[in-house]
Amino acid sequence: MKAVIVCNGLDCPRVNRMRRSWEHPSLTDMKKMAGNGNEEFSFANGVVARNGLARIQTQKQHGQNGICHDDSAPTVNVQTIDELHSLQRKKSAPTTPVKGTEGAFATVSEEERQQQQLQSISASLASLTRETGPNLVKGDPTKRTDTTPKLSHAAQHQFSPTPNISDSALKFTHILYNLSPAELYEQAIKYEKESFITSSGALATLSGAKTGRSPRDKRVVKDETTQDELWWGKGSPNIEMDEHTFLVNRERAVDYLNSLDKVYVNDQFLNWDPENRIKVRIVSARAYHSLFMHNMCIRPTPEELENFGTPDFTIYNAGQFPCNRYTHYMTSSTSVDINLARREMVILGTQYAGEMKKGLFSLMHYLMPKRQILSLHSGCNMGKNGDVALFFGLSGTGKTTLSTDQNRYLIGDDEHCWGDNGVANIEGGCYAKCIDLSREKEPEIFNAIKFGTVLENVVFDEHTREVDYADKSVTENTRASYPIEYIPNAKLPCVGPHPKNVILLACDAFGVLPPVSKLNLAQTMYHFISGYTALVAGTEEGVKEPQATFSACFGAAFIMLHPTKYAAMLAEKMEKHGTTAWLVNTGWSGGSYGEGKRIKLAHTRKIIDAIHSGSLLNAKYKKTPVFGLEIPIEVEGVPSEILDPVNTWTDKKAYNGTLLKLAGLFKKNFEVFTTYRLGKDNKLTEEILAAGPIF
């Protein structure tokens, strides 16, 4: 055993031995103490300090060979710790010259430019019941300086009521304008207790009580223009509200934002096509929301920001503050309201960031068709030879997985426009589902979760901060928002030529649709309007019956016009540019869910590869009964017997019964669209109806 010496103060033998060695050091000890290699200090010969130790000389010793050097540095020339901190951060300055007289902020000084920016923001935040906008000052309220540009009330030109002074009108609201991800991290960590940095560097945060969109609380102002332009009534996602109610909610949101010490303002763009991009301003109360939109919208260059001017559309995100339940049209404490005439959106009672993203998508579904540009809820990629493919599909169909291909460039994963110049991504980022995410299954998305990425509602280890992507404790709808350049094979700028192929994805849990079929134009319109997939009904024990899901244009929650208008534009562009459409089933084969098996992903990838290469166009085809689909007889790398679903069912009678059942569901769903007339003498509508199942 190891001996243990217990010491009692100064009489301890170990302490006495140590004391003697220090009071009377040997020559060897002194050499060791002095021999530090650079001889910058030594013991003076014969000079003894009061405690008996040799006195240390701190002067530099110069050896005869002159090789000694001084590694010390001069002290920082500051008087206070605040001065030192100020040296750490270099002031940002415009990196591009101001040109001529173009742009809203050209030929002005930096101070004047900032004043004009604040003037524009103050006008956005102006109350409609008072003459002026709020007092604004740039910067964090905790870091006030005398040189910070300030702005008094900005005149409100739209209304001129009797002036009414309020408490919020007497204070300054600090504007945190287009902050960088690093700055937003600091704000989130310091002021939002639900925000944390994960082990990968991403910012994990919570969206509050709402962990998904609230479609039943979404309202659109119905006025003289929109009552004729928009799709209203049965099947439509557009729930009406009047102008007055919108203004009540807008006033509530603006008053809340103006009451805060600080708000975040993002000025950004939508649409990578420079000829058709839209300027958007997002005013929010959380760093989480600002970083989310920084990722999801297109980030302006310094020059573009200097010349940003007045936005085309503004979002007021007061999601932490509820709407008034007694206000007309309100059905809960949440309200998401769009006014197309005012080009404004108001969010109350929900902090879920996806409401902003999809609100802007709804805007694009309204504005772009007016310019003869088709807005699409789709993924998009491009081959090395410039061949572009669009992927449509609802949740669970494999849209993200199949459009994210290591051998092809990613133009975008969710929202696109198809105009005269080709296709363009609407967004500047991706919003990927995280549930059960793994490096092995989806390496591109997994590796994109790093510094700058927002992780929504995920669960992580409290010590290591490692995320458990399988944990559904908060919600199954966990998400990651990141800039598109985080994907290694992203194409920048996110534009491409006219599509060669349009791929409609369906996860058919009934097991009766073929793995792939070629569509004519009328069939493309029919299946595009239908937007079909099938899901397993719930998680209740014993329930295995598939449930058909239809979402017009594969994104009914976001479209503004009648689905047939988008379908007609799609057919017109496909015909003009020689685009081929395909219906690909990623669901079941050999029986419905519970009896058959899911079509192997490897087989689906082979089918997609054959579409991209063009080889599937040269295959031999035959037509199926009821749906009248053209299916290939063989596809390289895919077992021929699965190409016709009837071959995979052992019970042919059950197959026919299930086929007719699905056909009936298609027909019933399409009834809501039959009354809308398209083409001369309603001819186009008749062609679309004839392209559906016949039985």
Side-chain angles (χ1 to χ4, degrees):
M1 293 186 58
K2 187 174 181 181
V4 178
I5 299 176
V6 179
C7 296
N8 286 321
L10 298 176
D11 293 330
C12 174
R14 176 177 292 176
V15 172
N16 289 335
R17 285 197 300 273
M18 293 174 64
R19 186 169 58 196
R20 285 195 297 272
S21 67
W22 278 102
E23 291 175 350
H24 306 287
S26 65
L27 182 60
T28 303
D29 292 335
M30 293 175 65
K31 288 181 177 180
K32 288 180 179 178
M33 295 165 71
N36 61 359
N38 59 17
E39 298 182 1
E40 291 184 356
F41 69 90
S42 64
F43 295 108
N45 292 332
V47 180
V48 180
R50 285 181 300 173
N51 57 6
L53 294 176
R55 180 172 294 168
I56 298 176
Q57 289 183 342
T58 57
Q59 301 93 332
K60 185 165 67 174
Q61 301 288 312
H62 295 281
Q64 294 179 351
N65 54 11
I67 63 171
C68 294
H69 60 277
D70 184 3
D71 284 336
S72 64
T75 57
V76 181
N77 186 24
V78 295
Q79 300 299 317
T80 66
I81 192 67
D82 289 337
E83 282 188 67
L84 178 59
H85 289 169
S86 70
L87 295 178
Q88 186 183 25
R89 298 185 300 275
K90 184 172 65 175
K91 281 191 175 294
S92 297
T95 55
T96 53
V98 179
K99 302 176 182 177
T101 57
E102 45 186 276
F105 306 133
T107 65
V108 295
S109 68
E110 178 61 22
E111 183 177 354
E112 290 173 319
R113 180 181 295 111
Q114 292 200 29
Q115 286 287 339
Q116 290 181 2
Q117 284 180 340
L118 289 175
Q119 178 85 17
S120 174
I121 296 168
S122 183
S124 294
L125 284 168
S127 165
L128 300 181
T129 60
R130 294 183 288 275
E131 284 186 330
T132 57
N135 295 307
L136 300 181
V137 58
K138 264 195 174 181
D140 191 330
T142 62
K143 301 175 182 178
R144 296 176 183 172
T145 64
D146 294 334
T147 58
T148 305
K150 296 182 179 180
L151 177 69
S152 298
H153 291 298
Q156 169 57 259
H157 302 295
Q158 294 165 321
F159 293 87
S160 299
T162 303
N164 184 15
I165 300 299
S166 65
D167 287 340
S168 61
L170 300 177
K171 62 181 280 291
F172 275 95
T173 299
H174 287 73
I175 299 299
L176 301 181
Y177 183 71
N178 274 52
L179 296 189
S180 68
E183 291 172 307
L184 290 168
Y185 263 58
E186 293 170 1
Q187 291 287 325
I189 297 300
K190 189 173 183 179
Y191 300 110
E192 299 176 14
K193 63 180 182 180
E194 61 270 37
S195 295
F196 299 86
I197 301 176
T198 66
S199 59
S200 68
L203 182 73
T205 190
L206 296 174
S207 64
K210 298 293 180 74
T211 58
R213 290 181 299 102
S214 302
R216 294 180 181 178
D217 296 311
K218 181 183 174 184
R219 302 286 184 270
V220 181
V221 173
K222 189 174 185 179
D223 54 29
E224 293 180 355
T225 301
T226 58
Q227 69 178 356
D228 297 324
E229 290 183 335
L230 302 192
W231 178 28
W232 304 101
K234 185 179 179 181
S236 168
N238 303 315
I239 305 173
E240 70 176 87
M241 75 185 311
D242 58 34
E243 172 85 5
H244 174 76
T245 305
F246 174 85
L247 295 179
V248 170
N249 282 353
R250 182 195 185 277
E251 193 76 356
R252 190 173 177 89
V254 167
D255 281 348
Y256 168 75
L257 292 168
N258 288 339
S259 73
L260 302 175
D261 286 337
K262 62 183 178 185
V263 294
Y264 301 88
V265 177
N266 292 41
D267 280 349
Q268 296 181 252
F269 299 113
L270 299 177
N271 197 348
W272 282 85
D273 178 0
E275 295 180 12
N276 294 288
R277 73 181 183 183
I278 303 297
K279 298 185 293 183
V280 294
R281 171 169 292 163
I282 304 98
V283 186
S284 59
R286 291 190 61 182
Y288 146 51
H289 291 149
S290 184
L291 181 57
F292 176 90
M293 295 308 284
H294 169 88
N295 290 344
M296 297 312 303
C297 295
I298 299 169
R299 294 158 288 283
T301 65
E303 184 178 22
E304 289 170 337
L305 199 57
E306 290 165 16
N307 294 279
F308 191 84
T310 304
D312 300 313
F313 193 83
T314 302
I315 294 178
Y316 301 98
N317 189 342
Q320 290 170 290
F321 197 64
C323 68
N324 187 337
R325 291 287 298 271
Y326 287 99
T327 305
H328 193 38
Y329 297 103
M330 300 300 102
T331 54
S332 74
S333 60
T334 297
S335 190
V336 180
D337 310 325
I338 296 177
N339 189 326
L340 294 170
R342 290 184 58 87
R343 299 291 195 266
E344 292 178 337
M345 177 180 179
V346 171
I347 299 174
L348 290 165
T350 175
Q351 298 178 61
Y352 182 66
E355 294 286 9
M356 295 182 287
K357 165 186 161 68
K358 291 305 184 183
L360 292 177
F361 192 28
S362 295
L363 170 74
M364 297 298 280
H365 272 310
Y366 175 73
L367 293 180
M368 292 299 103
K370 287 177 171 290
R371 305 182 185 185
Q372 300 305 307
I373 296 171
L374 177 60
S375 49
L376 299 166
H377 186 214
S378 68
C380 183
N381 65 24
M382 186 180 78
K384 295 178 181 178
N385 295 323
D387 58 297
V388 169
L390 292 172
F391 293 81
F392 296 90
L394 302 177
S395 179
T397 59
K399 181 185 69 171
T400 301
T401 301
L402 295 172
S403 62
T404 306
D405 188 332
Q406 291 182 339
N407 298 316
R408 295 174 66 84
Y409 300 110
L410 179 68
I411 292 177
D413 75 327
D414 196 44
E415 302 174 8
H416 293 87
C417 287
W418 186 356
D420 293 337
N421 301 324
V423 293
N425 191 351
I426 290 174
E427 302 179 294
C430 302
Y431 193 34
K433 286 187 175 182
C434 289
I435 195 67
D436 295 325
L437 179 67
S438 69
R439 190 190 301 272
E440 294 72 30
K441 290 180 181 178
E442 295 178 282
E444 292 85 6
I445 296 174
F446 189 91
N447 292 329
I449 298 176
K450 54 186 179 181
F451 182 84
T453 297
V454 176
L455 280 174
E456 241 177 12
N457 300 316
V458 298
V459 177
F460 53 84
D461 185 276
E462 65 178 358
H463 175 61
T464 65
R465 298 292 196 265
E466 290 186 9
V467 177
D468 182 356
Y469 292 109
D471 196 314
K472 307 174 185 177
S473 298
V474 179
T475 177
E476 190 171 340
N477 188 34
T478 54
R479 295 272 184 165
S481 163
Y482 49 85
I484 193 167
E485 57 264 29
Y486 281 18
I487 299 295
N489 61 332
K491 183 185 181 301
L492 297 173
C494 302
V495 295
H498 297 286
K500 180 180 177 182
N501 293 291
V502 166
I503 301 170
L504 311 183
L505 299 170
C507 178
D508 177 29
F510 290 93
V512 295
L513 290 183
V516 60
S517 52
K518 185 173 64 173
L519 305 177
N520 59 36
L521 281 178
Q523 288 176 322
T524 302
M525 296 174 72
Y526 182 88
H527 286 279
F528 179 70
I529 294 171
S530 297
Y532 164 73
T533 193
L535 306 174
V536 178
T539 56
E540 192 175 338
E541 186 176 355
V543 177
K544 295 184 178 180
E545 178 71 14
Q547 186 177 37
T549 301
F550 297 93
S551 183
C553 307
F554 293 93
F558 324 119
I559 61 177
M560 303 295 279
L561 312 180
H562 195 277
T564 54
K565 292 188 177 182
Y566 299 106
M569 289 184 70
L570 177 64
E572 180 185 353
K573 291 184 180 297
M574 287 178 59
E575 188 172 31
K576 181 178 180 180
H577 300 290
T579 308
T580 306
W582 310 85
L583 179 64
V584 174
N585 175 23
T586 62
W588 271 254
S589 177
S592 299
Y593 173 83
E595 296 179 4
K597 293 182 179 180
R598 187 88 186 251
I599 297 172
K600 292 181 179 180
L601 178 60
H603 293 160
T604 302
R605 288 196 183 278
K606 287 291 184 181
I607 289 169
I608 299 298
D609 289 343
I611 291 173
H612 289 325
S613 68
S615 63
L616 205 53
L617 278 174
N618 301 320
K620 293 182 179 180
Y621 288 84
K622 67 177 183 179
K623 184 175 288 190
T624 66
V626 182
F627 279 90
L629 299 172
E630 295 282 341
I631 61 174
I633 295 175
E634 61 179 19
V635 178
E636 185 179 352
V638 181
S640 297
E641 60 270 17
I642 75 168
L643 296 176
D644 190 344
V646 69
N647 296 332
T648 63
W649 283 62
T650 54
D651 188 340
K652 309 301 182 187
K653 184 177 179 180
Y655 166 79
N656 289 326
T658 306
L659 179 65
L660 291 174
K661 178 180 179 179
L662 181 60
L665 293 172
F666 264 87
K667 193 169 184 178
K668 182 179 180 181
N669 171 73
F670 217 83
E671 288 175 356
V672 70
F673 307 119
T674 56
T675 57
Y676 199 87
R677 297 183 176 275
L678 277 178
K680 190 175 182 180
D681 299 326
N682 202 31
K683 185 178 180 182
L684 188 55
T685 302
E686 293 175 358
E687 289 180 6
I688 296 173
L689 290 172
I694 299 173
F695 58 102

